[in-house]
Structures are given as C-alpha cells and as structure tokens.
Amino acid sequence: MLGMEAAAPKLTREELVERLAAEFPEAAHAVGDFTIEQGWFGGCRVRRRFSHGSLRPGGTVSGPIMMALADFTLYVAVLSAIGWAPLAVTTNLTINFLKKPEPRDLVAEARLLKLGKRLAVGEVGIRSDGQDDLVAHVTSTYAIPEVSR
Amino acid sequence: MLGMEAAAPKLTREELVERLAAEFPEAAHAVGDFTIEQGWFGGCRVRRRFSHGSLRPGGTVSGPIMMALADFTLYVAVLSAIGWAPLAVTTNLTINFLKKPEPRDLVAEARLLKLGKRLAVGEVGIRSDGQDDLVAHVTSTYAIPEVSR
Amino acid sequence: MLGMEAAAPKLTREELVERLAAEFPEAAHAVGDFTIEQGWFGGCRVRRRFSHGSLRPGGTVSGPIMMALADFTLYVAVLSAIGWAPLAVTTNLTINFLKKPEPRDLVAEARLLKLGKRLAVGEVGIRSDGQDDLVAHVTSTYAIPEVSR
Amino acid sequence: MLGMEAAAPKLTREELVERLAAEFPEAAHAVGDFTIEQGWFGGCRVRRRFSHGSLRPGGTVSGPIMMALADFTLYVAVLSAIGWAPLAVTTNLTINFLKKPEPRDLVAEARLLKLGKRLAVGEVGIRSDGQDDLVAHVTSTYAIPEVSR
C-alpha cells in the first residue's frame, strides 16, 4: 500500500517479541526458529533458521514450514498496523510453491494489500537466504476482532 | 470422483506407514501425531492427536497445524491413487478456516477431485473429533513426478 | 452444513429471480444465460445455457464463464440463507479447473461451508450437464453487510 | 522475476493482438473491451474500458469482469514468455477483492512469479485507472502444453 513503508509500526519489533513470548509460551517451541528481523507499518521481515528436521525427501524444506512461516509473518504485519490484537485470526490462506528451497535459512517478507476495519489482506514472499527468486508466494486474509478496533 | 471409494488403494495403510517412516525419519517428529486411520483409492482419513503445544491464544489449535495436517492427508490420498512417489510435491494449497477447533483431536478426510497425468487436485475437510461441522476446508494441487508415471 | 438441505430458503426461487431482475437490470445481459433451477437454505443449483460465444480455442467453455457462474451461484446460496442483501460482496474466490468442459450446458451447485455473522464461506462444484465428474471446483467468501444483519 | 522486465517478449504486442483476434473470433465480443497496452518478457499491462453494463448494485464494477481481466492479462504474460501457445490453460486462480472499484477503466498488470517447463505461476494487480491502491489481487497457474515446449 502506497507510502506505508514510511510509517512507524504500531508496535516495535521489541514490543512484538516480548508480547508474543509472553502470550504464546506454549507455541514458543514451534516458532522458536522464527526471528522478526524488521518491522514497519503494514509489513515486516521474518527469518526462519534452517534445521535438518524440516527436510523432506529430496532435501528441501517442507511445505508446512513455509506455510507456518508465511502465516506468522503476515500476523506480525497485521499487528504492526493495528497494534496488539492476539485474537486476530486467519480466515484463509493461499500458497503457491514456486521453487524447491535450498537447505538454508528462509526469509519471508509480508506487506498488507488492504487494511480494512474488519479484514486485512496481505501477501508474503519467501526466499532462500541471499537469493532473488521466490520459493513461495502467499496471499492471506486476517479477520480483525471488534475489540481491537 | 465417482466410484473411487470402491476401488482398492495402490498402497495399503500398512505399506504407507512403513514407507513414510523409512523415508521421512527426520520428519517423524513433526508428523508423529498424525495417524492414517483409513485409506482407499484416491482418499484417506488421518487423525491428529491433540497436544497442548499446538494451542493459540484463545485455546484453539493453531492454523499451521491444520495446514500441515491437510497437506499430509492429501499427500497420502495422492499416494493411494498413484502408488509410492515420495517426490510428488504440492504446487499450491488454499485453506479456509471456518470455525475455531476445540481442544481435541482433529480428523481430516481427503478425496481427489482430479487425477491427471501431471497434476492431482483434491479437497480436505477437517473436523474436531466427533463433530459434524468443518473447522477448515482445503483445496490443493500436487505435481506428479514423471518418474512415477 | 449438516441438515441445511432440509430447511426452507429465506427467499424462494421466484422471489430471487424477480429481485435480481429488478435490481440488476444492467447486468441482465451478462447473467441472462443463468437459470436458478433450485434453491434451499444455504445452497442452490444454477444452469448456464451453452452458447457458442463462450468457446475458447480447443472448443471448451472459457474459464471466466465458469468463474462468473460460480460467483453467481454462491451469491444466490448466500441470499438463500440470509435473505435479500444485494450488497453482499465477494471477498475472495479460488477456482480449480479440473477438466475441459464439453460444449454443452454447465450445471453449478453451491453449498455454504460456514455461515457467520460477518462472513459466509461456500463451495461450488461445476459439471457439464449430465456428467458426474467436476469440471471446476470453487471456494469463495462473501462479506455480509451490517445492514442485513 | 529478477531482470525479466529488461528482456524482449517472445511475441510483440502487435503479434499478440493479431493472433488473438484470428484464433478467438468468437471470443472477440467478450474481450473486445480489453486493450493490451504494453508487453514485456513475462509481464504486461491490459486496460479494460469502463462500460455501464458491468455495474453491480452499488455502482461498482462486477467481480466476474475483474476475474476475466486478470485471467486474460496473465494469459498474455504467459504468451509473452513462452511464445504463441493458445492451448495453455488456467489450472487455478485465486482472487482477493480489496476495494470497490470506481466506475472508470481498470488497469491490470501481470508478472510471472515462476516460469517452469510445465507450469507458469503469476500475479496480477488490478487498479482503477489513475489510482495507486489495488482493487483486486490475483495469483494464478497456467499449465503449459507439451507441444509448445
């Protein structure tokens, strides 16, 4: 969305990390490999550390890992635009797998395409660290809870 | 697809379990909670044991868990129709989250909508164990490797 | 959704046809080929008359025709469940093209997978008249306007 | 895809217009409002002239018009990368409707996210003429026929 990159996020990276850790303790294991590298209003970049446990036959990172990464990255992008709203929920998600990722870190970057009162829609591009081509592309919608508006 | 339920799968449930365990040892942890309950030609039913680590704020099972479950279930449905082809890969997946799942087992049921030479398309319905309403609905496409044809 | 077929629709087929014609006069040309054959609470069946103008190279019905048919069919299914709400709008739609349709009528059948206060989600199956296999499968979400609630 | 904008398309705009008109005479009416404004390797921009017949209640352009526009625009982008292949077919398409379009021309821009031997995946952004915000965003996959490879 035009000009959004210039605006300050509603939550800093540090605030997000702290709140997510406090409210999602049980999920900490699952998202432990996800690092929020940068956040801005309506967008962010998240790194997923490579680990051998995520390999599929053929030596590529599994699809569910990429889906979880995209979902988390867009969740952070939504929070960066509306502030802390842990009950925001994904209503749908479409992922296209474009290329086999190499056995290295994944870097996901999300941006909102729409920020409405009830729905936020965004896209996420996932790349193998240091490469230009996308390994996966995601579009997804979040329902924004009334309480957070 | 009409009449597919009546046909025998290309791989029995036991063959599938054995081969998946042998070829995906690193993934065993991730899919350890998934149990193939029943398989037929072009479809199957998979149970995902409830565990507290998969909870999101609000006490529901996380979206990525459901995406991983749907992806795995459709993978098994594809293998049941084309035989062992570990390099079959998801090309895209669309999930609609319909209802907050309760903190209990999830049961996913997949069926192929199309079985072509190069692409297989299927849908997966996910329910909380013992309930009728869907908690999530998935459509997804698998690319079938040439070697398996 | 379980048991929905048994319930009466909020609008009869005749009421729907009349209201759509009155409020969408400019669209009448576009949807003129669509006939609502049957409606029930949360679902309906719509026929699209074959016409030669919709052919693509290779003699099949064009994709956009099928997308328009699916969108209209689900719209009718939503209205059958919430009553007249012309401002209900599609928020997203995913279509999988499964098989080349033959040069004959298309029959689309929609059913709601979820009927919430703010969102309705449904699926649509499209077949060539008289055949069992799906030529296309659609899932789509409608936003329900506040005024209609 | 990196650097694709710099490469020459496999078919010029003029060649595309001529071939489409010759091979799709029956479809000429349907796509008559679509003008290919610019093409490059793996991408293009298409304008859809406003006409009152495409209005929905509320005065906005109908969803099916946008789906048809996106499908056509990506088709042209695929042809610009692989050359003339009229039997390339859409295998799936996901559209997110982001904002009500105003009653004016729509401008769609497509770019390929992946160009494989068997599948091409692309995204399309649709805007009201002269505006920055997207009114719709589409991702879609085309199957590339063997004969064209």
Side-chain angles (χ1 to χ4, degrees), chain A residues 91-92 118-119 144 146 149, chain C residues 91-92 118 144 146 149:
Chain A
T91 61
N92 62 69
R118 308 200 306 184
L119 297 175
I144 301 172
E146 310 231 1
R149 287 182 274 160
Chain C
T91 61
N92 61 68
R118 307 201 306 184
I144 301 172
E146 310 231 1
R149 287 184 274 160

Side-chain angles (χ1 to χ4, degrees), chain C residues 54-99:
Chain C
S54 57
L55 288 183
R56 261 180 64 100
T60 76
V61 178
S62 79
I65 294 283
M66 288 187 271
M67 294 190 275
L69 172 59
D71 190 48
F72 178 76
T73 305
L74 190 56
Y75 182 57
V76 169
V78 170
L79 297 184
S80 78
I82 67 173
W84 184 246
L87 295 181
V89 291
T90 315
T91 61
N92 61 68
L93 181 150
T94 293
I95 185 164
N96 280 280
F97 297 98
L98 303 169
K99 191 182 170 180

Side-chain angles (χ1 to χ4, degrees), chain A residues 46-118:
Chain A
V46 173
R47 176 179 297 266
R48 195 260 168 189
R49 298 269 164 220
F50 176 72
S51 82
H52 285 277
S54 57
L55 289 182
R56 261 181 64 103
T60 76
V61 178
S62 78
I65 294 283
M66 290 187 271
M67 293 190 275
L69 172 59
D71 190 47
F72 178 76
T73 305
L74 190 56
Y75 181 57
V76 170
V78 169
L79 297 184
S80 79
I82 66 173
W84 184 246
L87 295 181
V89 292
T90 315
T91 61
N92 62 69
L93 182 150
T94 294
I95 186 164
N96 280 280
F97 297 99
L98 303 170
K99 192 182 169 180
K100 290 191 183 181
E102 300 183 21
R104 57 169 76 186
D105 286 6
L106 293 175
V107 178
E109 198 163 314
R111 69 185 185 110
L112 296 186
L113 299 170
K114 167 192 172 143
L115 178 57
K117 271 182 290 188
R118 308 200 306 184

Side-chain angles (χ1 to χ4, degrees), chain A residues 96, chain B residues 91-92 118-119, chain C residues 56 62-64 67 97, chain D residues 20 24 67-79 82 85-93 110 112 114-124 138-145 148-149:
Chain A
N96 280 280
Chain B
T91 62
N92 62 68
R118 308 200 306 184
L119 297 175
Chain C
R56 261 180 64 100
S62 79
M67 294 190 275
F97 297 98
Chain D
L20 289 168
F24 291 70
M67 293 190 275
L69 172 59
D71 189 47
F72 178 76
T73 305
L74 190 56
Y75 182 56
V76 170
V78 170
L79 297 184
I82 66 173
L87 295 181
V89 292
T90 315
T91 61
N92 62 68
L93 182 150
L112 296 186
K114 168 194 171 140
L115 178 58
K117 271 182 290 188
R118 306 200 307 184
L119 296 175
V121 181
E123 70 175 338
V124 185
V138 168
T139 52
S140 180
T141 301
Y142 264 82
I144 301 173
S148 73
R149 286 183 275 159

